[in-house]
Amino acid sequence: MRVSLLLPVGITIVVWLAGLGAFLLLPEQFYGIVTLLVGVGLLIFLAIWTRNANKRTRRWAVILAVPALIGIAFGMVYGRSTYAMLGVGITIGLLVLQRAIDTPISFRFARRQFSVGNTEEALDLVTRSIQARPDFWPSYQLRALIYLTLLDFPRAERDAQEAIQRNPKAHPAYNTLGQIFLAQNRFAEAEAVYDQALDLDPNLALYYYHLGLAQYRQEKYAEAIDALASATQATLPLLEYDLQAYYFLARCLEAAGEDRLAAQANEEMAKFGDGLYLLKQQLENQPDYPHLARMLADVGEIEKRLPQKVLTNDG
């Protein structure tokens, strides 16, 4: 499970157990101890939750937590939950407002236009966003994706690098740069970038898939087996990624002489046969990247490996 899911649960359990201990051992100081624990727990959560954010975002997160801390403190001291609810409500409202202010409006419109295929309008809007907020790294990442769609690889790479420079801990920017390298058949560089992305977020199955793909293209079969196996053991975002992950895993195992394991991978791949049609659609709508020809060849090979009944259902 992701840290963002486990952390609140862990902090809550620790505070509850410590509060129970305080109630049993120091009942007269119970409210003060619990108030302190809740406040410290909230600050720890904010510090870890925003660990990949820039200093400005982390500073604001702590500042905006103050109303919640005050409300919790008053609630504990006076034994009334309304103080805590009011404080937390103010903090949540301020966080929503801060996020709305922090994200340039032109960036939001650019992202919306890009999602519906209006690349030229999206490019104009995101450029305005960069001009308005040159420190906002997601704008550079979005513009990199737009340039990638337009097959303008030098500008795409430059903007992805700029996003990383603005926020070296932003793993989505590394993913974008990795996509740019994969699209150009620059597999060694893609491998290095996805290694960095996984250092920042080791829980994303999609990064393991792309790392394994880059290694497979370089015939680094042993390394690719490890990466692709990790991808299949986690949760990939789309059915077609599961299909491809098992396909590339099978190919790597075959190259490594692991025929029995390769057969098992092929059997697992067949379970995701419904993703073949989706994969074909995805590639039909993809720009004419240099890597596209290899992906189309892989689709043909996947089709040969799938059982006839799966292909019939797919058709």
Side-chain angles (χ1 to χ4, degrees):
M1 293 181 67
R2 295 176 63 87
V3 173
S4 58
L5 297 177
L6 291 175
L7 188 61
V9 176
I11 290 176
T12 301
I13 292 173
V14 170
V15 170
W16 188 87
L17 291 174
L20 179 61
F23 180 77
L24 295 174
L25 300 175
L26 300 167
E28 295 180 357
Q29 302 178 33
F30 171 73
Y31 289 120
I33 292 174
V34 171
T35 298
L36 178 63
L37 289 171
V38 171
V40 171
L42 179 59
L43 290 175
I44 291 173
F45 171 74
L46 288 173
I48 298 177
W49 186 52
T50 60
R51 65 192 183 282
N52 291 331
N54 55 42
K55 292 181 180 179
R56 180 174 178 270
T57 300
R58 300 187 75 180
R59 185 166 56 248
W60 270 109
V62 173
I63 292 173
L64 296 180
V66 170
L69 293 173
I70 294 174
I72 291 170
F74 273 82
M76 290 295 183
V77 171
Y78 294 104
R80 296 182 61 183
S81 61
T82 51
Y83 290 114
M85 292 174 62
L86 179 62
V88 172
I90 292 173
T91 288
I92 292 174
L94 290 174
L95 285 170
V96 171
L97 180 62
Q98 188 268 338
R99 182 173 182 179
I101 295 173
D102 191 59
T103 303
I105 295 176
S106 50
F107 170 79
R108 297 186 181 190
F109 281 112
R111 187 169 54 187
R112 187 179 306 168
Q113 291 299 319
F114 182 56
S115 68
V116 297
N118 297 331
T119 52
E120 294 296 339
E121 188 169 351
L123 180 59
D124 178 63
L125 286 166
V126 78
T127 299
R128 293 186 200 176
S129 173
I130 290 172
Q131 292 170 348
R133 280 282 307 280
D135 62 328
F136 190 67
W137 70 265
S139 293
Y140 295 96
Q141 183 202 9
L142 177 58
R143 193 166 70 173
L145 289 171
I146 295 171
Y147 280 135
L148 176 60
T149 302
L150 297 172
L151 303 179
D152 191 340
F153 298 119
R155 289 182 178 177
E157 183 178 344
R158 185 174 65 240
D159 274 341
Q161 294 280 15
E162 186 66 32
I164 292 171
Q165 184 177 347
R166 299 283 174 177
N167 187 357
K169 295 183 179 181
H171 61 84
Y174 290 87
N175 179 41
T176 297
L177 183 59
Q179 292 297 304
I180 294 166
F181 288 145
L182 283 173
Q184 300 175 80
N185 293 333
R186 294 164 62 181
F187 303 120
E189 291 162 286
E191 178 186 6
V193 168
Y194 277 109
D195 272 329
Q196 291 176 287
L198 284 165
D199 285 340
L200 294 170
D201 193 337
N203 299 309
L204 280 180
L206 189 61
Y207 294 174
Y208 284 106
Y209 164 75
H210 285 125
L211 174 63
L213 173 58
Q215 292 166 334
Y216 167 76
R217 296 296 191 211
Q218 299 174 80
E219 300 183 0
K220 294 182 176 181
Y221 298 122
E223 294 94 328
I225 288 170
D226 289 338
L228 292 166
S230 296
T232 59
Q233 290 165 10
T235 303
L236 287 162
L238 297 171
L239 190 64
E240 50 266 42
Y241 281 117
D242 286 297
L243 177 69
Q244 293 175 94
Y246 278 108
Y247 163 72
F248 289 121
L249 179 58
R251 293 295 299 266
C252 290
L253 289 166
E254 289 166 359
E258 299 285 353
D259 294 337
R260 183 179 61 83
L261 293 175
Q264 292 177 2
N266 278 317
E267 289 177 6
E268 290 296 319
M269 180 185 69
K271 296 177 182 178
F272 301 97
D274 290 342
L276 180 61
Y277 173 74
L278 299 172
L279 177 58
K280 287 180 177 179
Q281 279 194 320
Q282 182 189 97
L283 295 180
E284 284 177 6
N285 296 324
Q286 196 172 92
D288 191 18
Y289 302 140
H291 190 221
L292 181 60
R294 296 193 186 206
M295 294 301 295
L296 291 172
D298 290 323
V299 168
E301 183 62 28
I302 290 173
E303 205 159 9
K304 293 177 184 177
R305 291 170 178 248
L306 289 175
Q308 187 60 41
K309 63 178 182 179
V310 174
L311 295 174
T312 302
N313 293 337
D314 180 63

